[in-house]
Amino acid sequence: KDVVWSAIGDSTTKQHYNDQSDIDEVLHIAEKYPNITGAILDDFFLNVEEPGKSIARHSPISIRAMRDKLHKFSKRRLDLWVVWYTHQLDFNLVDYLDLFDVLTMWTWKGSDLTELDLNIQKFIKKTPGKRHLAGCYMWNYGERKPLTLDQMKYQLDRYYFSLKKGYIEGLVFCSNCIADIGLETVDYTRKWISEVGSEKI
C-alpha cells in the first residue's frame, strides 16, 4: 500500500556519493503513483569515523535540500527514510539524525543480535520524536554465511516484543536475492508472518 523508493542506491552505487542522488526521479515516480510515500537512503553512513572526513555519503546541506523537496512535494508530503546499522549507533551523527523523518535499524552481523534489546533502546533514545522501524535480515551478510534458525527466531521474538511495547512501529524484511533459495530462515519467517501478521497491536 505504501512504497518508499531508493534515492541513492546501496554503497556500491558510487555515482551517488558526493551529494548526487535520484531524488528528482523519486518525485517523478510519485507524480504518477500515489502509493509512493517517501524516499530511503541505503548504506548512508560510512563504517569508519575518520577525523576531518565526512561520516556520510552526502553532506547535511544535501540531505536538508532532499528532505525539503520531499516535504514540499505538491501532491502530498513525502518522508525521508534512512538505513542505520547497529555498529554505527555510537558514531557522532548529530549533524544528520534530525534531518530524517523515519529511521530503520539493521544488525549487519548475526553475532551482534545478542545485543538487540540494548541496541533498540539506544536507537530510540538517540532519535526521540522520530518514527522507528527495525530492519530484519534473513541472511548473515556481515559474516558471509546463513543466519542460524536460532538467530532468526531470537531476532523475530525481540522485534515482536518491541512492536507490542510500541518501541518500533514496524519491520522491514530484506528479501534481496535470498528469498527463494531454500533457506530455513526464510521459511520460518514466512510462517511467522502468516501467524502474527494480521494481529492488531
Side-chain angles (χ1 to χ4, degrees):
K1 295 180 181 179
D2 296 321
V3 175
V4 181
W5 204 265
S6 174
I8 61 172
D10 69 4
S11 60
T12 66
T13 313
K14 300 299 184 182
Q15 69 267 30
H16 287 160
Y17 281 64
N18 301 317
D19 295 354
Q20 301 301 307
S21 78
D22 285 325
I23 195 65
D24 289 336
E25 184 60 26
V26 174
L27 296 173
H28 176 69
I29 296 169
E31 286 276 357
K32 290 181 162 184
Y33 301 102
N35 60 333
I36 301 292
T37 59
I40 188 166
L41 309 184
D42 191 13
D43 294 342
F44 179 70
F45 300 115
L46 305 182
N47 288 326
V48 179
E49 287 186 289
E50 296 184 59
K53 291 189 177 181
S54 176
I55 192 59
R57 293 169 62 187
H58 280 232
S59 67
I61 292 173
S62 171
I63 299 308
R64 189 173 293 107
M66 197 180 296
R67 180 199 62 185
D68 289 348
K69 281 187 174 184
L70 292 167
H71 286 186
K72 295 175 182 177
F73 179 59
S74 61
K75 294 196 172 183
R76 60 196 174 278
R77 173 190 154 121
L78 303 175
D79 286 330
L80 183 60
W81 295 47
V82 71
V83 167
W84 192 10
Y85 294 104
T86 56
H87 59 269
Q88 302 165 335
L89 287 175
D90 291 323
F91 287 4
N92 180 12
L93 304 175
V94 65
D95 292 336
Y96 285 98
L97 294 179
D98 194 50
L99 299 175
F100 298 103
D101 303 302
V102 186
L103 297 108
T104 67
M105 187 197 81
W106 297 80
T107 304
W108 186 243
K109 292 184 178 180
S111 58
D112 289 340
L113 287 169
T114 56
E115 301 295 317
L116 200 50
D117 284 341
L118 176 64
N119 284 332
I120 289 171
Q121 292 306 312
K122 187 182 293 186
F123 169 60
I124 294 165
K125 186 176 181 180
K126 285 178 174 285
T127 51
K130 299 294 184 178
R131 293 174 56 199
H132 300 100
L133 287 88
C136 188
Y137 287 124
M138 294 173 276
W139 175 270
N140 187 347
Y141 289 97
E143 292 161 318
R144 300 184 179 184
K145 60 183 180 180
L147 279 175
T148 68
L149 190 55
D150 284 344
Q151 286 174 324
M152 194 72 226
K153 289 179 177 179
Y154 180 78
Q155 180 176 209
L156 290 173
D157 176 73
R158 302 325 298 156
Y159 285 156
Y160 185 51
F161 173 82
S162 294
L163 282 164
K164 291 199 292 184
K165 286 289 187 179
Y167 299 150
I168 57 175
E169 68 174 70
L171 299 181
V172 182
F173 292 96
C174 181
S175 61
N176 180 26
C177 73
I178 56 90
D180 59 355
I181 61 173
L183 295 174
E184 61 179 354
T185 52
V186 174
D187 291 339
Y188 181 83
T189 302
R190 185 182 295 113
K191 181 173 179 289
W192 183 85
I193 292 172
S194 70
E195 290 175 353
V196 306
S198 61
E199 182 178 338
K200 292 184 179 180
I201 55 174

